Amino acid sequence: MRENEAYQASCKERFFSEEENGVPIARAVLVDMEPKVINQTLSKAAQSGQWKYGQHACFCQKQGSGNNWAYGYSVHGPRHEESIMNIIRKEVEKCDSFSGFFIIMSMAGGTGSGLGAFVTQNLEDQYSNSLKMNQIIWPYGTGEVIVQNYNSILTLSHLYRSSDALLLHENDAIHKICAKLMNIKQISFSDINQVLAHQLGSVFQPTYSAESSFHYRRNPLGDLMEHLVPHPEFKMLSVRNIPHMSENSLAYTTFTWAGLLKHLRQMLISNAKMEEGIDRHVWPPLSGLPPLSKMSLNKDLHFNTSIANLVILRGKDVQSADVEGFKDPALYTSWLKPVNAFNVWKTQRAFSKYEKSAVLVSNSQFLVKPLDMIVGKAWNMFASKAYIHQYTKFGIEEEDFLDSFTSLEQVVASYCNL
Amino acid sequence: MGRRRQRVDPAAGARAGALPEAIAALSRSLPSGPSPEIFRRAKFDRPEATSALWQLLFRVLSPLPAGNALASLALEVQARLVKSALCSQGYPRLALAQLPEDGSQGSRELLLALSWLLARGPVPEQMLAQARVPLGDEMTVCQCEALASPGPPAPHMEAEGPVDVRHVQWLMGKLRFRWRQLVSSQQEQCALLSKIHLYTRGCHSDQSLSHLSVTEAEMLRDPEGGQQVSGAGAAQNLDLAYPKCLHSFCTPGMGPRTFWNDLWLVCEQPGLLPGDWAAPLDPGGASACSLLSPFRALLRTLERENQRLEAVLAWRRSELVFWRWMDTVLGTCAPEVPAAASQPTFLPWVPERGGGELDLVVRELQALEEELREAAERRRAAWEAKAGGCGRGPEWSAARRASREAVEKELGALQQCWERDGGPAQPHGPHRLVRREDGAAGDRDLRAAVVIRTLRSQEACLEAVLRRLQGQCRQELARLVGARPGLIWIPPPGR
């Protein structure tokens, strides 16, 4: 069927480059300072027989970063800069239509966070016209790494300068999804990664472009960024998707667009991470109120004010889905009208095993509280100079910490003043 | 009594026949020009001529070459755009701005506007240049357009209420994203163009060219669809022919790979390429028909262009007749009335009855009214002084004039800087892109390396100017901040 071919062609063009003997190679570069994870990843992909990673698209060393951001940023970075950028350049040259980078990293450790920040900065220097979105794993609140808050604030503040958009996924939230929605008893990293992959897939799988519904969008990253993060102060994005359940439950559930969208909207305004346990007692404030009382009302009822939202709908009868609920001006900040702040992408083709699915990419106050908490904890540690010598040893001075605190406080304040 | 003999004035006879011809030539020389009948009806201000004239004016005034997207705009939108374009060009007649936008009346005003445009510049020739079919891949290298004067003044916009600076920052950010996407698209185009030139080496009959251009390759790949693309005049300066054929609406999902497959199949067959088209082909194959049709299509397009050219020449020969006729049209219009003075204020009607009390009340009311008027005047004057007459008043226009002159001076300085540092001045007009082996370039050919060098030096000049202006801004900000005690200025972390 023509539609099938078009979809496949779009997927192929976007995610894979061509290969001689028919096996597509992913357009990806893997970087790690330890070999274990990369080897696992490579073999798992090759096992499927459907695609694989390029042999020369990996860079790894034997020695890690010891969960030290400074080591990743100031030692590994400059040392391996040339090799890593060379690999990246080769991949970029393979692209006919190159628009930007999607960088997946964590912020609690040393390599993902420090080296990731370093590489992103290099990309900004060498490919200044390209778009950059960093997908960042927000560590567990009770994580194992003592200095994870230091690593986090250093990562976030540096990325805020060199990246265009930060797509943040909280480990705690995903853990809950696995436990409550998927009913998994022993949650492994593999389960967490599956949920992540599902969320990312539901955003970045091909969608029809707005002009004609026979044409798959060729620059999803650019379109998404233009809708959500044009303002340099507001770059934090989060993803919420619905439905998300185990195969068993799926067999017994039917979905309507009205139901899905109502849930999704409530998730947005009550700052819920997933479908269950949504706070039903949060409503948007009355639009006639002056801004000051609006803010206090929000703070009391945990209302989540949005700057901009993008809803992506995939599945049967998608044209009939009514998204008017997301165009309520009460959901948004005063300086952006819903007509500019809200966008919806609809595609007939279903995603994964869900007959109908919806995902919301949101630039809103979702992450203000977690960010504020991390900054607070990091500040407390910093005030007592705990572990700082680990960082100054490798060139990250107290000044750099102070700069980071300042930038992030500014971000928190900007988001709070919506 | 016999029949009265009418004196035949040969000049009058010539005039009588010449006018329809002149108008017909004009209409043929303009893109989708309306019939001469429309012109005649417009002279008498008939409503049925109005929408055709709005559409013609829109075609003439719109800066982009016509495409499907533009043609499908509603009449109201087209009319509004025409009004604003004419206003920004300084069109003097107020009656046009007041016409309704639904095409119900005003055809005579529109006819006057059209003739105003025709009198100002060579409109048919400009439209012809826009719709030209370039056979090769072209680009311009001179930067004259970039240094031209800053363009028409922006229309006067009044903000409703205070504007949140965050909204402005949001819009700026969107513009920046669009800009980056534009740069990426141009890079993509260059890469693909290079591939086409490389892969079709040796395919062209013209030895000096040796490879196909995008238009030629597209003609081979998709004979029927191809001509619609370039014939619409969309192909201009490295423009849209190629992406259009790549992301073709007719064949969803066709990507670069399918294009190459198609093209390779075509190139593999012997005798299928431009150099051989004049020679008789094997009539048995369907390939004969599929080969000739792209060239038939091209021929048709070139013939259409020729017809337009001839129409333009005919128009130039006979335009005097048209202008004399336009004088009569102008004569039938009522003289323009100057804009009405501000509305008189309506005072409440007080009956003229006698009675001392009423008189007192009347006098008090009048005094109160006087007082209010004076107070309002004072406040307005104070506000204007404070707001610096934003957007209005002699101060504002003086400030704008000063800033325009400053900008023009900067541009002039920049031009000099370029001429000094760069190489020889680049020739004007579009150049055809041809890929050649090293050392094979002729004397009159412009080498890419030279152009790149010149552009780089121009870029360096511009960057120097940018850095200087940024430094000035920073100093100004520091000065403003310093003037306010108690304000802490935290500049963003620079690198």
Side-chain angles (χ1 to χ4, degrees):
Chain A
M1 214 181 95
R2 236 161 178 201
E3 158 64 32
N4 236 9
E5 282 171 16
Y7 188 79
Q8 282 194 14
S10 179
C11 285
K12 265 203 175 152
E13 188 196 17
R14 188 177 293 188
F15 298 121
F16 301 98
S17 55
E18 295 194 50
E19 162 69 344
E20 304 281 312
N21 43 11
V23 180
I25 297 193
R27 295 187 194 273
V29 175
L30 293 90
V31 178
D32 200 354
M33 292 295 110
E34 294 166 334
K36 185 175 86 164
V37 175
I38 289 196
N39 289 336
Q40 271 178 3
T41 314
L42 288 184
S43 61
K44 197 160 174 205
Q47 256 170 32
S48 73
Q50 308 267 351
W51 63 281
K52 60 184 192 186
Y53 286 103
Q55 273 176 323
H56 304 289
C58 306
F59 181 85
C60 65
Q61 298 286 286
K62 297 288 191 290
Q63 173 214 24
S65 307
N67 288 326
N68 188 329
W69 194 92
Y71 201 81
Y73 184 85
S74 308
V75 177
H76 282 309
R79 193 182 287 169
H80 306 299
E81 179 181 350
E82 207 179 312
S83 319
I84 297 178
M85 295 310 286
N86 263 345
I87 303 180
I88 293 178
R89 190 174 41 85
K90 290 213 180 82
E91 279 301 322
V92 171
E93 283 168 4
K94 284 195 219 164
C95 295
D96 281 333
S97 162
F98 169 64
S99 53
F101 299 100
F102 186 75
I103 303 146
I104 305 179
M105 54 194 268
S106 75
M107 65 180 193
T111 302
S113 59
L115 186 58
F118 181 82
V119 171
T120 308
Q121 212 168 286
N122 265 33
L123 292 176
E124 166 73 0
D125 290 333
Q126 288 196 21
Y127 299 94
S128 48
N129 274 319
S130 70
L131 306 166
K132 285 166 286 295
M133 177 179 282
N134 289 63
Q135 196 255 327
I136 306 170
I137 305 296
W138 197 279
Y140 285 106
T142 54
E144 329 84 54
V145 179
I146 289 212
V147 289
Q148 68 183 39
N149 295 318
Y150 280 164
N151 294 339
S152 302
I153 58 139
L154 287 166
T155 307
L156 286 172
S157 60
H158 275 76
L159 288 181
Y160 230 87
R161 276 176 245 158
S162 17
S163 181
D164 300 306
L166 309 180
L167 188 64
L168 296 145
H169 277 102
E170 297 167 85
N171 264 351
D172 284 311
I174 303 195
H175 195 101
K176 260 200 224 140
I177 292 181
C178 288
K180 297 233 173 107
L181 298 182
M182 309 287 281
N183 285 320
I184 304 177
K185 301 293 176 227
Q186 302 275 41
I187 298 173
S188 65
F189 274 136
S190 166
D191 299 313
I192 303 241
N193 285 338
Q194 277 222 321
V195 172
L196 269 173
H198 180 93
Q199 286 198 341
L200 289 180
S202 57
V203 174
F204 287 108
Q205 282 295 97
T207 51
Y208 286 136
S209 62
E211 303 94 49
S212 83
S213 56
F214 299 121
H215 224 48
Y216 282 110
R217 200 177 284 275
R218 288 194 83 233
N219 188 3
L221 201 60
D223 294 338
L224 195 146
M225 289 206 197
E226 196 192 315
H227 290 325
L228 295 173
V229 290
H231 197 296
E233 196 64 11
F234 301 105
K235 289 182 180 171
M236 297 201 296
L237 300 175
S238 53
V239 178
R240 297 284 183 274
N241 75 319
I242 186 170
H244 209 136
M245 51 184 60
S246 60
E247 295 238 17
N248 306 338
S249 318
L250 193 55
Y252 301 109
T253 327
T254 51
F255 303 105
T256 62
W257 284 118
L260 288 174
L261 288 170
K262 183 164 150 216
H263 267 77
L264 196 60
R265 182 177 182 272
Q266 196 62 23
M267 278 163 77
L268 169 65
I269 62 181
S270 65
N271 203 353
K273 321 283 187 188
M274 56 175 205
E275 283 168 67
E276 266 189 28
I278 297 176
D279 187 348
R280 307 267 173 218
H281 297 293
V282 179
W283 299 289
L286 305 165
S287 39
L289 288 175
L292 192 60
S293 40
K294 182 172 172 184
M295 191 161 72
S296 56
L297 209 61
N298 293 348
K299 284 203 160 141
D300 289 338
L301 296 179
H302 316 291
F303 179 78
N304 179 42
T305 307
S306 301
I307 299 173
N309 288 314
L310 171 67
V311 165
I312 304 177
L313 303 175
R314 300 175 189 271
K316 209 167 89 156
D317 302 326
V318 76
Q319 293 308 327
S320 67
D322 174 15
V323 290
E324 286 310 302
F326 285 91
K327 298 185 187 169
D328 184 353
L331 264 54
Y332 297 96
T333 183
S334 56
W335 47 270
L336 209 55
K337 303 253 174 314
V339 65
N340 299 318
F342 177 69
N343 282 276
V344 58
W345 295 352
K346 292 182 179 175
T347 304
Q348 198 73 6
R349 193 184 191 92
F351 176 63
S352 188
K353 42 198 195 300
Y354 299 99
E355 178 196 71
K356 300 184 174 78
S357 63
V359 66
L360 164 71
V361 187
S362 174
N363 187 349
S364 62
Q365 294 173 323
F366 267 146
L367 293 149
V368 172
K369 263 225 247 21
L371 181 60
D372 201 29
M373 246 182 356
I374 282 198
V375 172
K377 286 192 195 161
W379 182 254
N380 287 337
M381 278 180 82
F382 183 72
S384 55
K385 301 275 191 280
Y387 302 100
I388 293 293
H389 60 280
Q390 304 272 18
Y391 293 79
T392 52
K393 197 160 65 170
F394 297 112
I396 300 297
E397 305 300 332
E398 295 188 10
E399 301 277 298
D400 300 308
F401 276 90
L402 287 174
D403 279 341
S404 300
F405 283 121
T406 317
S407 323
L408 293 179
E409 294 279 5
Q410 179 66 45
V411 171
V412 170
S414 304
Y415 269 100
C416 281
N417 282 333
L418 287 180
Chain B
M1 242 74 48
R3 230 187 322 161
R4 210 171 343 160
R5 285 205 176 230
Q6 283 196 327
R7 261 249 310 251
V8 175
D9 183 353
R15 241 180 288 144
L19 178 63
E21 273 179 31
I23 295 186
L26 174 63
S27 136
R28 278 200 314 274
S29 71
L30 292 171
S32 54
S35 69
E37 185 56 23
I38 298 277
F39 283 83
R40 194 186 71 81
R41 296 220 175 129
K43 171 174 177 177
F44 300 107
D45 207 17
R46 301 302 307 263
E48 59 265 21
T50 319
S51 49
L53 284 174
W54 275 124
Q55 284 169 352
L56 176 62
L57 280 169
F58 181 69
R59 284 292 291 274
V60 170
L61 288 166
S62 79
L64 305 164
N68 292 332
L70 288 183
S72 64
L73 282 179
L75 187 68
E76 286 83 15
V77 180
Q78 293 190 11
R80 220 172 304 136
L81 289 170
V82 166
K83 281 189 190 176
S84 96
L86 281 172
C87 177
S88 69
Q89 292 203 21
Y91 185 63
R93 288 180 69 88
L94 296 169
L96 184 116
Q98 292 162 358
L99 285 180
E101 288 159 11
D102 56 8
S104 57
Q105 47 166 290
S107 55
R108 187 163 56 208
E109 276 304 319
L110 297 179
L111 182 60
L112 288 175
L114 178 68
S115 57
W116 185 79
L117 287 170
L118 287 171
R120 286 185 97 211
V123 169
E125 287 85 343
Q126 282 167 349
M127 308 231 68
L128 204 60
Q130 254 182 12
R132 190 171 55 89
V133 177
L135 213 46
D137 303 310
E138 295 185 346
M139 64 177 287
T140 47
V141 295
C142 68
Q143 297 292 309
C144 319
E145 285 170 30
L147 288 188
S149 85
H156 202 90
M157 292 265 277
E158 297 203 15
E160 309 155 356
V163 174
D164 197 318
V165 68
R166 290 175 289 186
H167 186 58
V168 178
Q169 288 174 311
W170 179 270
L171 294 172
M172 279 290 291
K174 282 187 102 133
L175 264 176
R176 278 201 203 101
F177 274 130
R178 292 281 174 96
W179 180 257
R180 281 151 97 181
Q181 285 181 29
L182 181 64
V183 173
S184 305
S185 307
Q186 285 185 334
Q187 284 177 333
E188 179 186 355
Q189 262 186 350
C190 284
L192 294 170
L193 204 66
S194 165
K195 275 189 185 162
I196 292 189
H197 289 188
L198 193 61
Y199 292 1
T200 60
R201 241 185 344 209
C203 291
H204 207 288
S205 61
D206 183 348
Q207 290 304 321
S208 67
L209 294 172
S210 116
H211 62 75
L212 301 180
S213 70
V214 168
T215 319
E216 288 159 347
E218 178 60 5
M219 270 200 302
L220 285 177
R221 187 191 72 88
D222 181 16
E224 293 316 311
Q227 275 321 106
Q228 285 160 20
V229 168
S230 51
Q236 220 197 67
N237 300 349
L238 257 204
D239 212 280
L240 307 164
Y242 190 73
K244 270 210 160 148
C245 74
L246 265 196
H247 321 315
S248 149
F249 293 117
C250 329
T251 50
M254 170 168 303
R257 289 183 205 98
T258 13
F259 175 93
W260 293 125
N261 286 338
D262 288 351
L263 192 57
W264 192 244
L265 288 172
V266 171
C267 288
E268 292 248 65
Q269 295 188 40
L272 211 59
L273 293 162
D276 301 334
W277 78 280
L281 293 157
D282 174 12
S287 56
C289 303
S290 62
L291 171 60
L292 285 181
S293 70
F295 302 102
R296 271 206 209 101
L298 179 62
L299 196 60
R300 271 200 297 274
T301 314
L302 290 173
E303 279 173 355
R304 271 202 301 273
E305 246 186 44
N306 267 341
Q307 282 167 3
R308 284 269 295 275
L309 259 173
E310 283 174 3
V312 171
L313 289 173
W315 157 246
R316 288 294 165 205
R317 280 193 297 265
S318 57
E319 49 173 323
L320 205 51
V321 177
F322 176 80
W323 291 120
R324 281 198 214 119
W325 178 70
M326 281 308 301
D327 278 337
T328 66
V329 175
L330 195 55
T332 63
C333 287
E336 280 252 278
V337 185
S342 56
Q343 299 272 355
T345 50
F346 280 83
L347 298 170
W349 176 74
V350 179
E352 291 276 355
R353 256 175 313 192
E357 275 188 26
L358 262 156
D359 270 338
L360 196 60
V361 170
V362 164
R363 271 200 300 274
E364 275 188 33
L365 278 174
Q366 283 173 341
L368 186 59
E369 193 224 338
E370 243 331 286
E371 226 180 282
L372 282 173
R373 199 185 304 148
E374 277 174 26
E377 272 308 311
R378 257 182 278 128
R379 280 203 135 174
R380 171 180 293 279
W383 176 82
E384 288 224 322
K386 203 164 144 201
C390 286
R392 268 175 297 200
E395 275 179 24
W396 175 246
S397 53
R400 269 175 64 180
R401 217 178 320 124
S403 66
R404 278 184 74 124
E405 282 166 12
V407 169
E408 281 174 10
K409 213 169 73 166
E410 286 270 0
L411 291 174
L414 197 61
Q415 174 91 22
Q416 284 177 5
C417 174
W418 287 0
E419 279 165 11
R420 195 179 52 231
D421 296 345
Q426 308 292 0
H428 299 292
H431 296 254
R432 178 166 181 156
L433 291 170
V434 178
R435 187 192 189 108
R436 291 236 179 84
E437 301 299 318
D438 270 336
D443 288 328
R444 286 181 309 147
D445 294 338
L446 191 60
R447 280 188 167 71
V450 171
V451 177
I452 292 175
R453 221 175 11 244
T454 314
L455 285 171
R456 284 228 173 96
S457 73
Q458 290 176 351
E459 185 188 12
C461 280
L462 281 169
E463 284 204 352
V465 173
L466 176 66
R467 277 195 298 271
R468 183 168 48 83
L469 289 171
Q470 280 177 336
Q472 284 176 358
C473 273
R474 244 176 261 129
Q475 283 177 352
E476 179 66 15
L477 269 172
R479 187 189 67 79
L480 287 169
V481 163
R484 305 193 69 174
L487 181 69
I488 304 175
W489 170 244
I490 306 177
R495 281 192 294 121

